[in-house]
Amino acid sequence: MPLIASPNFDLHAHSTVSDGLLAPAALVGRAAERGVTALALTDHDEVSGIAAARAAAVQAGIALIAGVEISVSWGEITVHVVGLGIDPDAPSLRAGLEGMRRKRTSRAARIAESLERIGIRGSLEGAYRHAGNPELVGRTHFARFLVEAGVSSDVKSVFRHYLAAGKLGYVPHEWATLGDACAWIRAAGGVAVLAHPARYKVSRREMQTLVEAFKAAGGEAIEVVSGNHDAAQAAAFARVARAHGLAASRGSDFHGPGEGYAELGRLAPLPSDLEPVWERLAV
Ligand code: AMP
Ligand code: MN
Ligand code: MN
Ligand code: MN
């Protein structure tokens, strides 16, 4: 039987340009070492790491897919939409993301105030010390500071006790609309992917409404195999992809070594009957 090398696509990963721990070039190098054949750099609300990642990918001999992960407010919850195969210079995408980054600065001050009220001092400066890109300061940087300050033992427990929705350090925030996020991605020539759907705390009925709204906004694909999903969740979202005619994506959501994130390129393959989203990308 001929051996066919199956491609190892990892279409969701972060660098120091958002809340990852590795610079774009180091991230690409690590992906190549782990056998990834095509990596998407999908920093939160920011595309400025793509040029360096692309140069490193040429050196490493792997494909680099230009991506972004856009934060979206959908009703009461926050959802994430990954854009793949985008032109990082597209004007509407750039302008949209720039507006989002400006609002992160004021949110950071409000997070620090809420932590101050429960006796945690110095978190604004602390978070900025951990932010590789000050425009992208976010909850992960606060979490790393809180671990450093000894408030919690690890990043996951900081979220559980302080930073998750409803906890004392959480502040509500208005992100992009689903329509805007998908429109920016499409205007940049990209494919919109609903990220890690199992993370959203919604009923089955609401999930169906979300997927329908996402499709109506121009969304084309959904993450089925994700570093955030267990096998049962992957199977459940494979069914969602089939039921709604969505292409399927596979991505680790790697943020760096340690902190409990999935490793690059180590996920299960996509179920073979689904259309892989990379067939819609010029890889
Ligand atoms: P932000 O966009 O600033 O609200 O931060 C969102 C980021 O926080 C996500 O992309 C994850 O990297 C991280 N995050 C959210 N929830 C958790 C959690 N329960 N455990 C660890 N990291 C989390
Ligand atoms: Mn993140
Ligand atoms: Mn996400
Ligand atoms: Mn992510």
Side-chain angles (χ1 to χ4, degrees):
M1 210 165 55
L3 277 178
I4 300 167
S6 73
N8 187 349
F9 281 64
D10 190 329
L11 302 184
H12 189 152
H14 296 273
S15 76
T16 45
V17 159
S18 64
D19 58 357
L21 291 166
L22 301 180
L27 178 76
V28 168
R30 187 180 180 97
E33 280 167 16
R34 278 157 182 75
V36 171
T37 46
L39 176 75
L41 178 64
T42 58
D43 276 310
H44 297 286
D45 309 326
E46 171 69 286
V47 293
S48 67
I50 289 169
R54 224 191 258 298
V58 170
Q59 288 295 313
I62 68 170
L64 191 281
I65 293 164
V68 64
E69 181 175 22
I70 304 181
S71 318
V72 163
S73 293
W74 187 73
E76 297 296 299
I77 66 166
T78 299
V79 305
H80 286 171
V81 176
V82 162
L84 296 176
I86 50 156
D87 168 6
D89 295 321
S92 64
L93 177 68
R94 287 196 83 93
L97 298 181
E98 222 174 271
M100 294 187 69
R101 293 196 294 271
R102 274 198 299 274
K103 285 166 66 180
R104 274 186 180 267
T105 309
S106 53
R107 181 183 72 144
R110 287 186 289 134
I111 293 175
E113 281 163 21
S114 61
L115 291 171
E116 184 96 30
R117 277 196 289 277
I118 54 171
I120 299 168
R121 299 260 163 87
S123 69
L124 191 62
E125 298 72 22
Y128 274 104
R129 258 195 290 113
H130 285 272
N133 173 3
E135 287 188 12
L136 239 292
V137 65
R139 285 185 292 162
T140 308
H141 308 113
F142 279 90
R144 290 180 184 141
F145 165 72
L146 292 180
V147 171
E148 180 189 78
V151 172
S152 287
S153 59
D154 59 77
V155 162
K156 292 223 180 285
S157 56
V158 180
F159 273 91
R160 205 162 43 244
H161 297 295
Y162 298 97
L163 296 177
K167 301 297 171 184
L168 288 173
Y170 179 82
V171 302
H173 188 76
E174 208 50 51
W175 298 107
T177 66
L178 189 56
D180 280 347
C182 292
W184 298 337
I185 290 167
R186 286 164 69 82
V191 173
V193 184
L194 187 62
H196 45 60
R199 285 228 327 233
Y200 310 138
K201 294 186 173 63
V202 294
S203 67
R204 273 174 89 107
R205 180 86 200 94
E206 286 167 323
M207 181 56 72
Q208 188 162 339
T209 307
L210 170 60
V211 170
E212 282 164 6
F214 173 67
K215 275 192 76 171
E220 296 180 51
I222 189 166
E223 283 182 356
V224 169
V225 175
S226 162
N228 299 284
H229 291 176
D230 61 25
Q233 290 167 330
F237 285 98
R239 288 193 292 274
V240 170
R242 288 181 197 109
H244 293 271
L246 290 164
S249 191
R250 171 182 189 261
S252 60
D253 203 4
F254 179 76
H255 281 67
E259 296 189 359
Y261 296 107
E263 184 52 85
L264 291 161
R266 292 283 156 80
L267 301 170
L270 286 174
S272 58
D273 64 306
L274 298 179
E275 181 202 342
V277 67
W278 52 81
E279 289 184 356
R280 298 188 186 191
L281 304 170
V283 182

